[in-house]
Amino acid sequence: MISPQTLTTAIKEGLDYLAQTQRPSGEFATYTAPQPDMLGAKERAKSVYVTTFVLHSLSCLPAGPLTEHIRQRAGNFLAGEQEDNGAWHYDGRGGRQIPADLDCTACAVAALVGLGRRPGLSFYSLLWQNEVAPGGPYYTWLGVDHTGDSVYARDVDPLVNANILFCAGLLNLSLPGTVIYAQQIIQNQTYGGTYCVSAHLPIYALSRAYADGRLVALAPAMEIMRNYILTNLPLSRAEPSAFHLVCLTASLLNLKAPLSVVEPSLTDLLARQQKNGCWPAWGAYVSYNYYYDGAPALTTALALEALSKYEQGVV
């Protein structure tokens, strides 16, 4: 068993890192690099996606003044980046290199719901306009012709739909078609998509839809996904990416794996915390310029979520 003092210290140092590196706007910086180990990474001028994940992960920690200060600032940043039609762009308000998308939009709405800020009717309209079939699944890109021939036209992605399910769960919104789509992904082990470097982030997204989005309709598939993690993905020092390791560890906690199963990977994760309190970045997903995007803040927030959920499970 990991000592309470070890957990408390690691969480405090990680939270201090997030507080110290949060931008004045409330955003957490996204980094982009030509390779997944993030060598040669540069900061993006602005992006909303990482901040949505950080905000949710911090909601899994016990309430405290510093945590709430960070979350409120992040929430204000996200609220200020919403477009007039209710959507979010990856590059923030006014972003025009690519269309707005349901992935950033669903993640931003979910993060704000966690702060008690409910979406307007425009969000439901965006869902309805972009469904493949009633109840989903959903196309990724907003404001495009889904019958056309553009690269954006008919994109349906596992990670995007997992995030939509998470948001729907928080809103008590039933999306049966999307649930079936997610169950098929899990059954067929087809987690990869257009924007995924690996299966790790989609698995985490599906697990948080089930556990934190309270989407009990996914329950029949969760044992299959848990077995897939334990059978097919490394949970030890053989895994070079702290980000991958934390995605799997948080997922196993979300899927109610025995703590004895999770403890070795958590111990390994604790050993990877840097002197400044963070866990290092890794390419979490492929961005529109075919570079890898990630952030120390993203890895760190997910690590804090995993440590806190473990701590709560021990008590």
Side-chain angles (χ1 to χ4, degrees), residues 204 207-208 210-212 250-256 305 309:
Y204 166 76
S207 77
R208 77 168 181 172
Y210 168 69
D212 299 337
S251 296
L252 288 172
L253 287 162
N254 286 338
L255 301 178
K256 306 303 181 186
E305 175 185 338
K309 286 180 174 177

Side-chain angles (χ1 to χ4, degrees), residues 98-312:
I98 54 173
D101 63 88
L102 265 183
D103 196 17
C104 290
T105 298
C107 286
V109 168
L112 291 171
V113 168
L115 290 171
R117 309 183 194 185
R118 306 285 293 187
L121 293 177
S122 59
F123 173 67
Y124 299 92
S125 178
L126 290 170
L127 281 177
W128 175 73
Q129 293 168 21
N130 292 278
E131 59 185 10
V132 176
Y138 291 86
Y139 295 112
T140 300
W141 302 100
L142 303 175
V144 302
D145 177 7
H146 293 304
T147 64
D149 296 323
S150 76
V151 295
Y152 303 114
R154 290 178 288 275
D155 184 77
V156 180
D157 185 85
L159 175 60
V160 174
N161 279 276
N163 288 328
I164 291 170
L165 277 177
F166 171 56
C167 182
L170 296 178
L171 295 171
N172 294 316
L173 179 63
S174 176
L175 301 179
T178 316
V179 169
I180 293 171
Y181 171 79
Q183 290 172 334
Q184 290 171 343
I185 289 167
I186 295 166
Q187 182 69 47
N188 299 327
Q189 301 177 3
T190 51
Y191 297 101
T194 308
Y195 318 104
C196 299
V197 180
S198 66
H200 297 79
L201 186 57
I203 284 173
Y204 166 76
L206 286 163
S207 77
R208 77 168 181 172
Y210 168 69
D212 299 337
R214 302 179 296 278
L215 206 66
V216 295
L218 283 177
M222 290 299 98
E223 184 176 356
I224 297 172
M225 192 164 77
R226 185 175 70 180
N227 290 338
Y228 175 79
I229 295 171
L230 296 173
T231 303
N232 294 277
L233 299 172
L235 276 164
S236 68
R237 294 188 182 278
E239 170 55 70
S241 164
F243 176 73
H244 287 172
L245 185 62
V246 76
C247 282
L248 299 183
T249 306
S251 296
L252 288 172
L253 287 162
N254 286 338
L255 301 178
K256 306 303 181 186
L259 295 183
S260 59
V261 171
V262 179
E263 282 170 1
S265 59
L266 269 178
T267 300
D268 189 8
L269 194 64
L270 285 165
R272 300 188 192 205
Q273 189 173 23
Q274 307 295 292
K275 289 183 178 180
N276 64 356
C278 84
W279 280 264
W282 190 268
Y285 49 91
V286 179
S287 64
Y288 57 83
N289 58 359
Y290 302 105
Y291 268 40
Y292 298 92
D293 282 13
L298 177 60
T299 312
T300 300
L302 266 64
L304 296 182
E305 175 185 338
L307 292 171
S308 182
K309 286 180 174 177
Y310 171 81
E311 186 177 44
Q312 294 167 39

Side-chain angles (χ1 to χ4, degrees), residues 27 46-52 77-78 81 88-90 92 104:
E27 178 193 6
K46 184 172 64 173
S47 181
V48 303
Y49 200 52
V50 162
T51 301
T52 68
F77 163 73
L78 290 176
E81 297 302 320
W88 274 263
H89 279 85
Y90 182 74
C104 290

Side-chain angles (χ1 to χ4, degrees), residues 28-85:
F28 290 95
T30 298
Y31 291 78
T32 188
Q35 53 197 57
D37 61 10
M38 302 303 284
L39 286 176
K42 297 180 179 179
E43 286 190 30
R44 284 192 175 276
K46 184 172 64 173
S47 181
V48 303
Y49 200 52
V50 162
T51 301
T52 68
F53 281 89
V54 174
L55 212 164
H56 166 68
S57 289
L58 292 184
S59 72
C60 301
L61 274 63
L66 182 57
T67 306
E68 292 309 305
H69 178 67
I70 295 171
R71 293 181 67 227
Q72 291 297 333
R73 291 184 61 216
N76 290 340
F77 163 73
L78 290 176
E81 297 302 320
Q82 187 178 20
E83 300 288 342
D84 292 340
N85 67 349

